[in-house]
Amino acid sequence: MEGSPGTSMHGVTGREPVLAFSVASPMVPTDKTAHFDLPVDSEHKAKKFKLFSLANPHMRTFHLSWISFFTCFVSTFAAAPLVPIIRDNLNLTKGDIGNAGVASVSGSIFSRLVMGAVCDLLGPRYGCAFLVMMTAPTVFCMSFVSSAGGYVAVRFMIGFSLATFVSCQYWMSTMFNSQIIGLVNGTAAGWGNMGGGATQLLMPLLFEIIKSAGATPFTAWRIAFFIPGWLHIIMGLLVLTLGQDLPDGNLSTLQKKGEVAKDKFGKVLWYAVTNYRTWIFVLLYGYSMGVELSTDNVIAEYFYDRFDLKLHTAGVIAATFGMANLLARPFGGFASDYMARHFGMRGRLWTLWTLQTMGGVFCILLGRATSLPVAIAHMIIFSIGAQAACGATFGVVPFISRRSLGIISGLTGAGGNFGSGLTQLLFFTNAKHSTGTGLSYMGIMIVACTLPVAAIHFPQWGSMFFPPSKGVVEEHYYIKEYTEDEREKNMHLGNIKFAENSRSERGGNRVVSEATPPHA
Amino acid sequence: MAIRAFLIVLSCLAAATCRGATFSSLQQTLIVTASPQPAQVLKAGEDEITVTWSLNSTFPAGVDSSYKTVTIKLCYAPISQKYRGWRKTVDNLVKDKTCQHKIVANKPYISSSSNNTFTSTVLRDVPTATYFIRAYAQNSEGDEVAYGQTTDSHKAVNLFEIQAITGRHVSLDIASICFSAFSILSLFGFFFLEKRKSKASESK
């Protein structure tokens, strides 16, 4: 059934490169009877990704989806570059500012979990529209805030909107064939994350314009918040009027065809939770995506205070951190694929470790920088490291499990937000040390918490330091997800195909040299 | 040898950052009094502050020969600096963040007059905090050379408070409610409209 755990990844064989732009006909047959702008498969999902098209429904969905997610990032981090003004208006202490930052990323841990169910019930179009339009009032609430408590509460509520990540990915998977879904989802996620950078540019600019129009600073920042609020409403209306749930129409007016073996949620959850690799990735993502979110919250204030910059100058510099997502995240996925071609899974793991540790080292240096050009250089390398690591993370995650991929991806994503809340609580809430010191400590924690990549061992492919176990092939690992009874019902056949196609993760010349034993 | 060179480079860098005057090198030759009473609460945008400054006659004549201009600022009392690193007191005056709001900027220094006064309304961007007032005497290059303040060296007496404007406006509140209502109503409007349409098409 559409939307049950893992269905969006059915058909993913594990062999397709993360950055495939299209899938050719022999691999996935084209449905010649359909009249769409792009070639489609039998489910009418697009087989090709045409970036500069707005054609209904596939590319239009892509653009509606990523821009909605982008808008939510803009509003969630809209307060960050204006903190120097807000902290004077509301008489905030460092603790208040830190708590607000934690609150802004915590809300979505829960809302993302609920969003999956909402998309199942109402479809991704209404899921996205509901979230975006019901969080618009929370953005407008900033005009009422007059105390630290109110500020923290409003930022918490605005943070719920980050669950558009789930509706975005869900909607993409209904519109795009699984062979290219990696690139589509990665691009949508990366471009949505850019909103955290764009807001650092937008909000100070709006503030300056409104101030020069005659408003006093303590009123101007409140007026500036109306713009993200209007963006929410506009995107919500566009999604409702221009969007549709499925290539052939909307959920409520269509009858679903075809049968996909329905899986039990309890089982899927069990296999996700009992696989130790899931939890290592929950930790790891907290120190790539998590630190990216934390930095979005503190970096403008850091530059404003430490280098005595003007508000909009600090905003411009802070924006370059988040905007690097445009290329850095896809680059991470590309690097992971490239290394996998030569060195297999070991290459992917080393790539992930290298990128994330590089990010950590330059975060340490950023906190200690005493001159502006050096600080900016360190920040840019830190951003590339952290964001590429996000991309590289999802180069490995699809191989942890095929059956529970949806839940593992969800848990990993939640780990990102949790890591962000934790680092803000530990390093940016205490007035005893400065923001610079906090950044350095965060960098040390990144390096330390990236070490567990070495513990990720696939029996069939090995790990960073150890070779694969003798005599184990891909089938052994992926078949273990189904019990004897389930195998008798042939529920595991998809996994067999997946295992076959994932042999490319052996890397280099191993793929050809080792014979495949007959299926157990 | 290498260590010595390194230390020379380090001290040069340190000297470069310490180019500004330090507060501890300033002489307290000015006497400053201001209209706010101890523990009085002033309202930003409404109440006025009157500052009076003069040279302390106990100092030898000619101590003010380099004073060219006077700048008077509102400075945060220690209680308003607590947990707020962006208001930290640092000896290097270029980096010092204690006094962030100007009342009088670069007024010419007249040594003969002992009755320099200035009155102004508290500006609307001054935050809620506890303050004292400090006057800096500057030389022809604009560097601080002397100071005077309304409180003692521990910044513990004669402090007053300023209550900032909230920044809120009734018109903003109303606009906010209107747009929020529009958002919710249009969303549910769409939802129920579409539901009704699909029910109608089903029953056909």
Side-chain angles (χ1 to χ4, degrees):
Chain A
M1 189 187 76
E2 274 282 340
S4 55
T7 52
S8 69
M9 296 307 284
H10 279 166
V12 172
T13 60
R15 189 214 255 153
E16 55 279 354
V18 170
L19 289 193
F21 277 98
S22 69
V23 52
S25 272
M27 287 217 293
V28 171
T30 308
D31 182 347
K32 299 256 194 284
T33 62
H35 297 290
F36 292 106
D37 213 57
L38 299 168
V40 294
D41 62 12
S42 57
E43 285 179 291
H44 293 176
K45 295 187 185 182
K47 287 168 57 184
K48 205 165 143 186
F49 180 56
K50 217 160 124 186
L51 190 56
F52 294 109
S53 148
L54 282 174
N56 208 15
H58 307 98
M59 289 317 299
R60 189 181 291 186
T61 299
F62 172 76
H63 290 295
L64 282 174
S65 205
W66 82 260
I67 297 178
S68 304
F69 185 37
F70 178 93
T71 303
C72 294
F73 250 91
V74 167
S75 57
T76 302
F77 293 100
L82 297 179
V83 162
I85 309 297
I86 301 176
R87 69 190 178 194
D88 275 346
N89 189 184
L90 305 177
N91 202 12
L92 303 176
T93 63
K94 183 158 183 178
D96 297 327
I97 297 172
N99 286 337
V102 174
S104 66
V105 296
S106 313
S108 66
I109 296 179
F110 310 107
S111 63
R112 284 179 180 192
L113 298 174
V114 172
M115 195 52 162
V118 171
C119 286
D120 278 340
L121 289 173
L122 299 175
R125 174 175 156 258
Y126 267 117
C128 181
F130 257 88
L131 186 61
V132 156
M133 292 186 89
M134 292 199 74
T135 46
T138 64
V139 180
F140 290 118
C141 267
M142 273 296 189
S143 58
F144 293 99
V145 165
S146 56
S147 70
Y151 177 63
V152 173
V154 171
R155 287 206 71 183
F156 179 70
M157 291 193 293
I158 299 178
F160 282 127
S161 65
L162 287 183
T164 32
F165 173 71
V166 174
S167 67
C168 182
Q169 308 269 291
Y170 192 110
W171 211 356
M172 296 294 96
S173 67
T174 66
M175 290 285 177
F176 290 90
N177 183 274
S178 50
Q179 305 269 38
I180 54 171
I181 193 66
L183 171 71
V184 175
N185 270 339
T187 310
W191 289 8
N193 281 17
M194 274 201 313
T199 195
Q200 319 268 358
L201 208 56
L202 178 71
M203 297 305 283
L205 191 68
L206 291 172
F207 175 74
E208 296 291 334
I209 293 174
I210 295 169
K211 218 171 51 145
S212 60
T216 160
F218 291 172
T219 305
W221 75 267
R222 297 168 188 273
I223 300 176
F225 261 85
F226 272 74
I227 283 75
W230 291 335
L231 285 176
H232 272 241
I233 297 182
I234 293 171
M235 284 317 298
L237 290 175
L238 284 177
V239 162
L240 286 173
T241 53
L242 297 177
Q244 55 189 66
D245 291 302
L246 297 161
D248 294 315
N250 282 320
L251 210 60
S252 54
T253 53
L254 270 190
Q255 210 170 338
K256 279 173 278 209
K257 299 183 206 146
E259 26 175 283
V260 173
K262 188 179 175 177
D263 211 341
K264 275 223 201 93
F265 178 74
K267 285 255 168 196
V268 172
L269 182 64
W270 177 254
Y271 283 110
V273 158
T274 50
N275 191 329
Y276 76 94
R277 300 169 193 85
T278 304
W279 299 107
I280 297 186
F281 272 96
V282 169
L283 176 70
L284 286 174
Y285 204 55
Y287 289 91
S288 54
M289 169 56 79
V291 298
E292 181 191 329
L293 298 181
S294 299
T295 310
D296 276 338
N297 259 332
V298 304
I299 194 76
E301 199 190 348
Y302 173 67
F303 276 100
Y304 179 88
D305 287 331
R306 193 168 171 104
F307 300 102
D308 295 316
L309 302 173
K310 288 214 268 282
L311 199 69
H312 64 256
T313 315
V316 169
I317 297 173
T320 55
F321 179 83
M323 298 293 272
N325 260 304
L326 178 70
L327 296 171
R329 188 164 173 146
F331 166 72
F334 174 78
S336 183
D337 283 346
Y338 184 78
M339 295 302 282
R341 248 179 271 160
H342 298 283
F343 304 105
M345 179 54 69
R346 178 179 286 186
R348 288 192 192 271
L349 294 171
W350 273 101
T351 306
L352 174 58
W353 181 85
T354 308
L355 290 169
Q356 198 156 319
T357 304
M358 178 180 90
V361 167
F362 280 90
C363 185
I364 299 174
L365 294 176
L366 170 63
R368 298 168 71 107
T370 47
S371 87
L372 187 62
V374 170
I376 294 176
H378 287 157
M379 182 196 73
I380 291 177
I381 304 178
F382 165 41
S383 74
I384 294 175
Q387 289 158 14
C390 289
T393 301
F394 282 95
V396 180
V397 165
F399 296 102
I400 301 177
S401 157
R402 185 190 164 273
R403 189 175 189 182
S404 310
L405 177 57
I407 292 202
I408 295 178
S409 301
L411 284 170
T412 305
N417 279 56
F418 182 77
S420 177
L422 184 68
T423 50
Q424 286 183 82
L425 193 66
L426 289 175
F427 304 127
F428 300 106
T429 313
N430 196 335
K432 284 210 196 87
H433 49 250
S434 64
T435 308
T437 318
L439 282 169
S440 294
Y441 286 157
M442 185 167 80
I444 295 174
M445 196 164 183
I446 297 172
V447 175
C449 291
T450 308
L451 293 173
V453 179
I456 300 203
H457 180 87
F458 288 93
Q460 70 274 32
W461 298 317
S463 65
M464 274 168 78
F465 297 106
F466 296 106
S469 313
K470 278 228 170 338
V472 176
V473 287
E474 288 76 10
E475 279 78 359
H476 293 138
Y477 179 81
Y478 288 107
I479 290 213
K480 280 204 296 219
E481 296 191 320
Y482 290 96
T483 61
E484 286 282 346
D485 296 327
E486 289 168 334
R487 280 182 235 162
E488 273 177 35
K489 293 187 211 146
N490 278 337
M491 287 174 78
H492 66 303
L493 291 179
N495 273 30
I496 300 275
K497 194 155 202 303
F498 183 83
E500 235 176 74
N501 287 315
S502 69
R503 268 190 249 294
S504 57
E505 293 308 308
R506 292 187 194 174
N509 44 28
R510 270 194 65 210
V511 186
V512 182
S513 58
E514 289 196 21
T516 315
H519 298 151
Chain B
M1 186 55 198
I3 299 173
R4 241 211 245 143
F6 176 67
L7 286 172
I8 292 173
V9 172
L10 209 61
S11 59
C12 283
L13 285 171
T17 54
C18 286
R19 214 180 294 136
T22 62
F23 185 69
S24 46
S25 68
L26 299 182
Q27 277 186 301
Q28 191 173 3
T29 61
L30 299 175
I31 298 177
V32 184
T33 53
S35 55
Q37 299 304 307
Q40 185 184 0
V41 179
L42 298 171
K43 288 217 183 82
E46 284 175 32
D47 293 327
E48 290 180 338
I49 295 182
T50 306
V51 188
T52 310
W53 67 96
S54 59
L55 185 66
N56 189 341
S57 48
T58 59
F59 284 89
V63 68
D64 61 347
S65 52
S66 58
Y67 303 176
K68 289 290 179 285
T69 51
V70 170
T71 299
I72 305 184
K73 296 182 178 176
L74 275 171
C75 306
Y76 294 110
I79 190 167
S80 289
Q81 292 175 302
K82 215 171 166 195
Y83 306 127
R84 295 172 179 86
W86 54 92
R87 295 177 183 170
K88 206 160 154 215
T89 299
V90 167
D91 205 30
N92 181 348
L93 283 170
V94 173
K95 298 221 174 266
D96 181 43
K97 300 273 174 71
T98 320
C99 308
Q100 292 184 21
H101 303 277
K102 290 195 184 137
I103 307 175
V104 174
N106 298 321
K107 213 167 154 73
Y109 174 78
I110 309 160
S111 61
S112 51
S113 167
S114 59
N115 214 1
N116 299 296
T117 340
F118 190 81
T119 307
S120 71
T121 322
V122 179
L123 290 176
R124 287 159 85 216
D125 62 352
V126 175
T128 301
T130 309
Y131 295 89
F132 62 94
I133 293 177
R134 183 181 287 168
Y136 287 110
Q138 292 149 312
N139 62 15
S140 47
E141 268 127 55
D143 295 328
E144 294 85 357
V145 287
Y147 77 99
Q149 57 190 26
T150 57
T151 184
D152 65 353
S153 59
H154 298 292
K155 300 186 261 187
V157 299
N158 214 12
L159 305 170
F160 62 95
E161 285 171 37
I162 293 181
Q163 185 71 33
I165 60 167
T166 60
R168 289 181 55 190
H169 270 271
V170 177
S171 53
L172 274 187
D173 294 346
I174 294 175
S176 172
I177 295 175
C178 285
F179 284 115
S180 305
F182 173 72
S183 183
I184 305 282
L185 290 174
S186 52
L187 172 70
F188 283 103
F190 249 109
F191 184 64
F192 288 119
L193 217 71
E194 265 197 20
K195 249 196 165 165
R196 224 193 300 160
K197 237 198 270 176
S198 69
K199 272 210 189 104
S201 64
E202 253 178 65
S203 60
K204 273 197 190 130

